[in-house]
Amino acid sequence: MDADVVIAGAGPNGLLLAAELRLAGVRPIVLERLPERSNEQRANGLVGQVARALDRRGLAEPLGAEPGGQVPRPEYIFAAMRLPLQLIEDNPIYILPSPQQKIEAVLEERALELGAELRRGHELANFTQDADGVTVEVAGPDGAYELRAKFLVGADGGRSRTRKLAGIDFVGVTNDAMVSRTGHASVPSEYFDEQAGVLRIPGYGDIPPYMHHRSDRGLFVFAPFPGRPALVSTGEWDEPGEGEMTFEELQASVDRVLGTHLPLTQTSEFVRRTVGGNTRIADRFRAGRVILVGDAAHVHSAMGGPGLNLGLQDVLNLGWKLAAEVQGRAPEGLLDTYESERRPAGERVVMQTQAQSALIAPGPEVTALRQMFAELLTEPAVVQHVADLISGADIRYFDGPHPLIGRSVPDLTIDGVRLAEILRSGRPLLLDLLDGSPYKATDEVDVVTGSGEQQIAMLIRPDGYVAWAADDATDQEGLQAALSKWFQVRDLTRATT
Ligand SMILES: Cc1cc2nc3c(=O)[nH]c(=O)nc-3n(C[C@H](O)[C@H](O)[C@H](O)COP(=O)(O)OP(=O)(O)OC[C@H]3O[C@@H](n4cnc5c(N)ncnc54)[C@H](O)[C@@H]3O)c2cc1C
């Protein structure tokens, strides 16, 4: 075998998967058809529980988090409506404010420092699979060649060739109704009220920056990101535009949406017009030894930035399971849980992004629906529900007798050390914060004892999800069952005193 796993695509998801596999001692080769990292304007940040998940790999700070633990945002948006997060007790909206180029640079650095092999300018052309592995045909700069690996992962984006060659359908809809226009532009300083923190547009009114704003005629966003050019975007329904996109077209679109002239100054060559979009999900995430992650498995509207919250958490879910499979230590059926756990997460994103698309559409009925939603969004329970949905905090992979079982582990501090830091090795962890005799460590599972905010024992999977938890030492059977189910470990018991 040339590698344990071939990964097609060095976007954020392919790069994080390479790092995860290296962390577990697996040898990946990443094929990337572009000779250099792309400069395409895509993500403006990472939103939701992914920020906590990346903290558990030491990647939050390189991506813009303050040192020493993240603080959730007091406000966010849902379908261009304010989400007053200060109303809720358990705010799950964390943001890492890095653009896609930075995200890819940080993840590439991590993958390479852990020893992953990245081949740029090498394109997956075709593959065949058999009972023992996958043979990948590669078009490289010096010609075609073959690679043999145990698994192939398609992280090759929404148009994934891996998915098409595997014969996996991409089920959903293409919607060509909305035309988005984007460019880099500044607005005159007198239009910005620093104290109120809003754009004050004569003849229109106030618009908070960064937030999607819906008028009767379309959508408008002004995002003055610190340290990079401000972004101006619109969304319209009956203005298709033709020929090459120009800055003048963006200006005209902004003026139509606002119903007044907002003088813009172009600050870079970048302008883009996008017509419609796809909402689709692969009908299988796996075909034998071929597995899909990220946009290759699902695409949807970018509204609210859910793409990498979903994709990077697919990767964290898959990485340790695929590593265990490759190394012959996976319990029966472990790899199948990648799809059974992550498909519902993908379906929730499809649902909430389609709901947002419906709620920003034009028309008086939608305006009425938005008014009703805005009233509902003054209720803390509704805000909590929507925030949990868009951040992925409502994910519970499986049930158990303790409320934390199947959920993302809470942020605890153990004897002054943040749990997120303890989890960075990516190894299964039995955290024992109960008084009494500690559990014995094994080669497969680390044990950490100490004291924290609560008396609890938890078995934590490498992706940060709780496999088992108990508030006292009575549920030893549950622990043994979880150890065996997830890690094929049987002999880890609480030592008798
Ligand atoms: C305008 C826009 C704004 C967005 N904003 C946000 C946001 O704010 N927050 C957020 O989380 N998400 C956002 N997203 C979504 C986010 O960009 C994607 O979810 C993310 O890039 C998906 O990562 P990926 O690694 O799955 O695929 P990609 O980033 O598409 O990477 C796939 C890689 O595979 C390579 N490739 C393709 N075919 C082959 C082949 N045959 N062989 C080898 N290599 C191949 C490609 O060159 C590419 O480098 C936005 C998307 C868009 C379009």
Side-chain angles (χ1 to χ4, degrees), residues 423-441:
L423 291 168
R424 287 181 183 170
S425 65
R427 282 172 52 81
L429 175 73
L430 183 59
L431 179 67
D432 184 0
L433 305 183
L434 302 173
D435 291 336
S437 52
Y439 292 92
K440 291 183 283 183

Side-chain angles (χ1 to χ4, degrees), residues 8-14 31-34 40-47 100 104 122-125 155-158 161 272 293-296 302 305-309:
N13 291 314
L31 302 174
E32 169 53 56
R33 72 171 170 205
L34 299 177
E40 197 187 336
Q41 294 284 328
R42 295 174 80 184
N44 291 307
L46 298 167
V47 183
Q100 183 128 354
E104 291 181 12
H122 295 241
E123 181 167 4
L124 172 136
D156 45 355
R161 182 178 292 162
R272 177 174 60 207
V293 289
D295 279 16
L308 287 167
N309 190 36

Side-chain angles (χ1 to χ4, degrees), residues 28 55 68 77 92 96 121 140 144 178 193 210 252 262 319 379 389 402 410 423 434 444 463 484 496:
D55 190 19
I77 39 163
L96 294 173
M178 189 168 98
D193 183 331
Y210 302 108
L262 173 65
E379 294 289 334
L389 170 65
H402 193 281
L423 291 168
L434 302 173
E444 294 85 2
D463 58 355
S484 151
T496 46

Side-chain angles (χ1 to χ4, degrees), residues 51 56 124 142 152 166 189 195 205 235 247 273 301 355 424 448 477:
R56 299 194 285 257
L124 172 136
D142 303 320
L152 166 66
S189 55
Q195 217 168 8
F247 188 75
R273 181 198 313 123
S301 149
R424 287 181 183 170
V448 166
E477 248 176 61

Side-chain angles (χ1 to χ4, degrees), residues 225-240:
F225 296 112
R228 43 185 164 130
L231 215 59
V232 171
S233 288
T234 61
E236 290 179 279
W237 278 263
D238 296 314
E239 297 288 343

